[in-house]
Amino acid sequence: MLEESDAILVATQAVEAGVDLSAETLVTELAPWSSLVQRFGRCNRNGLAQTPAVYWVDVESDSKASSPYEPEDMEDARTLLTHLTDAGIASLPARPQSARYRHVLRRRDLLNLFDTTPDLTGFDVDVSPYVRDATDTDVTVFWRRWEGDKPGPEQPQPKSDELCHVSLSLFREYLRTKRRVEDRELSRPAFTWDPLNSQWKKVSENDIVPGQLLLLDARLGGYTADFGFYPASWDEVALLPEAEAEGPGTPAADAAKSSVETASFAADSHDDDTDNAPGLGALVTLGEHLLHVVQEAERVAEAFPGVPGLLNVLRESAIHHDRGKAHWLFQQRIWGTIPPGYPAPTGEFLAKSPFRSAMVRSSDPSAETAATATVEALEPHDPPVPASGGQTEPVSSSGPQKRTPIGFRHELASALAYLEGQPASRRNDQHVRLVAYLIAAHHGKIRVHIQSVHTEPVPADGRLFARGVWEGDALGPVRLADGSVLPGVRLRLSIMRTGIDLDGPDAGVESWVMGVHRLLDAYGPFRLAWLETALRVADWRASEKEVSNRGA
C-alpha cells in the first residue's frame, strides 16, 4: 500500500514479527535484543533502499521506564548496541537468551484444571497464570442494557469485538466516576458473573482482580469512538444488535438470533440446565434414546479400529449414560412440559421432549392419565417411583428440604445405577470404573469428585446427597426399544465418601475419587477427555437424528 509513496509509519512492537514491510529508515526505542533483531529485519527488508539506516533511542534504566520489559534485558541490549556499527544480519552477534519461567504448568496443576467440581468458595478456576503474562494487569469489560437493579442471567455473552481491555487504575477511576449521579448513590456500576449462584454480583474497587470479565451499564457511558474507554463520558454506549437481546423470547433476542446465535450467561453455571433439561425438539422415550446412542457409539468406535477395547467401553457407557433420567425428579420435570392432549406414549419413561417450559396442566382426566401412567410405591418414606414411566409427585416437604428438578444431574444417577448393577467384587475393576466415569462425565459436570453444592436442599433425615440425588432414591425399570429391560435399582452414595469401605455390602470398595485418580494414572487427563468426547459425540449424533427423523 505504501510502496509507491513516501510515508512515516508509527507502530507498536507488533511489527516485530508477522508483518511484511520494508523501511528505508528505522527508529526504535531500546528493547530486548531478540526484539531489536526482529525490528532490524524491517529495515531494507527487500534490499532496494539506497541509504538504509537504523537509529535507536535509549531509555531510563529503571523498571518503570523499561516496562513491559525487564531492566536486565534492556541493559544487555544496550551493551550490545554500543559496540555495533552495522545492523545487517551478517553483522549481528549471536546472543542466545535463557528462557524465564514464571508459571510452570505442573502435573498437579493440570489435574486441578481437569477437575470441574464446583469450588464452594466461588467456583473460580484460575487459568490466568498459564495463559497471560504475569505483568498483564488489565481487566476486560463489555456493556449491556437491562431493567431493574441488576442484570439477569439471560444476558448474551459478549463477542470478541465487544470486549474492551482496561488497566486496573483506569477502571477504578471509572468506578469512582460512576459512583454518584446527581448526588445519589448508584447501585449498579459494575458486575461480575457468579456461576456458583447463577447470577450477576456487584463489584467494588476492592473486588477487582486482573483478568476479570466485567459487565457495565451502557446507560452510564464510559466509552467513545474517539477515545475508547473514557470514564468521564456519560454518553450511552451503543450496543451491537445481538447485545440488545434481554432474553429468550423477547423481540430483540429473536431478531438477534436470526443473524447470530447468542449464548447467555445462564449456561455458564455449575448446573447448566441447557444440557440437563428435557427439550430438544422431539419426543423420545428413554428406551429409544439409549439404543440410539449405542448405535452411534458403535459407529464412533469403528472410526478408531486401532484403539483397543474402545467398542466395548463406548457401547457399555452408552447403554447406561442416561439411565438416571428414570429418576422421578427428571420424569416430573419432563412430563410437566407436555401439554394436555399431546400424543405422548403412556407407560414409558421419556428422555427428550419437544417442549422446554412447564405447562399448566388441565383437569382433563385423559391428560392426567397420560402424564401419571403407572406408579409403584417403594417404601412409605420414599417418593413414589414410576414402574414404567410417567409423572409422579414428591413427598410433601417444606423449607430447605423441598426437592425440585432444578440442579438434578441425571448423569450422576446414571453412574450410580451402573455401579449398583455390578457385584461388589468388580466395583474396583478398572473397566467398570472407566465406564462409570464416562457415564458421570459425559456432560463435563462430574469428574474427580462427587459432592453437594450449597444451593441444593438438604435431606431432613441426614442421608447422603449430592447434585440432586439422595441416598436411597430409586430408579424404575427401563424397557429398551429391543425388548430388553434395565432393572429397577436403588441408588447409594457411600462411594462419595473418602477412603475404602471397611464393612457392609461395599467392603473393600474404593471411593469415587480414588477410582478416578487410578484412571488418571492409567490414562492421563487427555485420553480420558478424548473418551468423554467420543461418548458425547455419539450422544449428539443420536439426538440430531432423533430430531430430524421426527420432523421428517
Side-chain angles (χ1 to χ4, degrees):
M1 180 175 66
L2 303 177
E3 290 182 356
E4 304 301 327
S5 60
D6 294 331
I8 297 175
L9 174 65
V10 180
T12 67
Q13 59 264 48
V15 300
E16 288 177 10
V19 179
D20 185 12
L21 58 85
S22 181
E24 184 159 340
T25 303
L26 175 72
V27 180
T28 175
E29 279 189 340
L30 182 64
W33 182 247
S34 59
S35 295
L36 289 175
V37 170
Q38 291 291 335
R39 296 178 192 184
F40 295 162
R42 301 304 179 266
C43 181
N44 196 26
R45 184 178 181 85
N46 54 21
L48 301 179
Q50 299 297 315
T51 56
V54 174
Y55 299 89
W56 66 279
V57 179
D58 205 355
V59 298
E60 301 278 342
S61 298
D62 60 272
S63 58
K64 185 175 182 180
S66 299
S67 181
Y69 307 117
E70 298 295 335
E72 296 83 0
D73 293 337
M74 302 288 269
E75 180 59 36
D76 183 59
R78 183 184 290 109
T79 300
L80 291 172
L81 285 170
T82 54
H83 297 89
L84 193 66
T85 59
D86 183 357
I89 187 66
S91 304
L92 299 180
R95 190 68 173 180
Q97 290 184 307
S98 59
R100 285 196 180 91
Y101 298 102
R102 291 191 175 94
H103 294 282
V104 178
L105 187 64
R106 302 164 296 180
R107 178 177 174 80
R108 57 179 288 188
D109 301 319
L110 177 61
L111 296 182
N112 284 336
L113 295 176
F114 181 76
D115 186 7
T116 52
T117 308
D119 180 355
L120 300 184
T121 64
F123 195 59
D124 183 17
V125 179
D126 187 12
V127 300
S128 60
Y130 313 111
V131 298
R132 298 170 59 248
D133 191 280
T135 60
D136 180 5
T137 59
D138 289 354
V139 295
T140 304
V141 302
F142 67 102
W143 285 263
R144 290 286 183 267
R145 189 184 299 108
W146 63 87
E147 299 297 330
D149 291 334
K150 68 177 184 179
E154 70 281 352
Q155 292 295 328
Q157 294 193 10
K159 306 298 181 184
S160 59
D161 50 357
E162 294 182 84
L163 300 176
C164 180
H165 298 281
V166 185
S167 67
L168 286 178
S169 59
L170 191 59
F171 187 73
R172 290 193 174 105
E173 180 184 339
Y174 169 89
L175 291 179
R176 291 190 292 268
T177 302
K178 307 302 181 185
R179 185 174 297 159
R180 298 184 65 83
V181 179
E182 297 177 353
D183 297 326
R184 60 186 178 87
E185 197 77 15
L186 281 180
S187 60
R188 55 180 190 189
F191 295 85
T192 185
W193 178 247
D194 176 8
L196 190 61
N197 294 297
S198 302
Q199 64 182 1
W200 290 98
K201 179 175 64 176
K202 191 175 77 169
V203 296
S204 65
E205 290 185 46
N206 295 330
D207 299 324
I208 308 303
V209 294
Q212 214 166 10
L213 178 65
L214 299 163
L215 169 61
L216 308 183
D217 191 336
R219 291 166 292 185
L220 299 182
Y223 184 91
T224 70
D226 295 328
F227 297 101
F229 190 80
Y230 189 38
S233 172
W234 288 89
D235 295 334
E236 183 168 343
V237 178
L239 303 180
L240 296 179
E242 57 267 27
E244 296 281 0
E246 294 187 356
T250 64
D254 292 340
K257 195 168 184 179
S258 64
S259 60
V260 61
E261 189 69 25
T262 59
S264 72
F265 276 86
D268 184 17
S269 65
H270 72 88
D271 274 323
D272 168 19
D273 269 345
T274 61
D275 64 8
N276 204 30
L280 196 71
L283 194 147
V284 184
T285 68
L286 183 54
E288 289 176 321
H289 180 65
L290 292 177
L291 284 189
H292 292 164
V293 177
V294 170
Q295 293 165 0
E296 294 303 323
E298 291 171 348
R299 292 188 178 96
V300 170
E302 288 172 2
F304 301 95
V307 181
L310 179 62
L311 177 61
N312 290 336
V313 167
L314 289 186
R315 183 190 287 131
E316 194 168 353
S317 303
I319 197 65
H320 295 279
H321 82 289
D322 272 358
R323 176 76 171 83
K325 287 185 175 181
H327 193 286
W328 65 271
L329 278 174
F330 188 89
Q331 290 303 306
Q332 180 193 55
R333 182 179 192 181
I334 194 169
W335 278 97
T337 70
I338 308 299
Y342 190 83
T346 59
E348 295 284 352
F349 287 111
L350 298 183
K352 308 287 184 181
S353 164
F355 309 101
R356 284 238 184 240
S357 301
M359 307 296 295
V360 178
R361 193 173 301 284
S362 72
S363 57
D364 179 1
S366 63
E368 188 65 23
T369 301
T372 306
T374 305
V375 174
E376 176 185 77
L378 295 176
E379 290 183 10
H381 66 272
D382 283 319
V385 175
S388 55
Q391 180 190 12
T392 62
E393 295 296 333
V395 170
S396 177
S397 58
S398 59
Q401 272 65 46
K402 187 171 183 180
R403 299 179 73 176
T404 71
I406 305 300
F408 168 74
R409 298 306 312 185
H410 67 269
E411 65 271 31
L412 173 58
S414 302
L416 295 175
Y418 169 75
L419 288 172
E420 282 299 310
Q422 305 297 318
S425 60
R426 292 201 67 227
R427 289 180 192 163
N428 289 340
D429 182 84
Q430 185 162 289
H431 172 83
V432 169
R433 284 305 179 100
L434 177 59
V435 171
Y437 170 82
L438 294 179
I439 294 169
H442 79 273
H443 281 294
K445 302 295 183 182
I446 298 168
R447 284 197 174 104
V448 182
H449 296 88
I450 298 174
Q451 70 178 40
S452 59
V453 295
H454 77 292
T455 55
E456 63 180 304
V458 179
D461 56 10
R463 70 177 97 173
L464 293 172
F465 67 101
R467 311 307 284 272
V469 179
W470 289 11
E471 177 83 11
D473 282 350
L475 304 183
V478 178
R479 185 174 65 250
L480 303 181
D482 63 0
S484 60
V485 176
L486 296 178
V489 64
R490 189 178 297 280
L491 305 180
R492 291 182 298 153
L493 280 160
S494 59
I495 200 167
M496 70 184 287
R497 293 192 177 109
T498 58
I500 300 175
D501 270 347
L502 299 179
D503 51 26
D506 291 325
V509 175
E510 294 177 340
S511 68
W512 179 267
V513 68
M514 290 179 68
V516 174
H517 276 287
R518 277 202 296 114
L519 292 176
L520 285 168
D521 289 339
Y523 295 96
F526 297 107
R527 288 188 179 91
L528 282 183
W530 186 86
L531 290 170
E532 286 179 40
T533 303
L535 178 60
R536 190 70 172 125
V537 166
D539 195 7
W540 283 336
R541 288 180 177 178
S543 298
E544 287 278 343
K545 288 184 177 180
E546 288 164 351
V547 174
S548 59
N549 291 342
R550 296 304 169 94

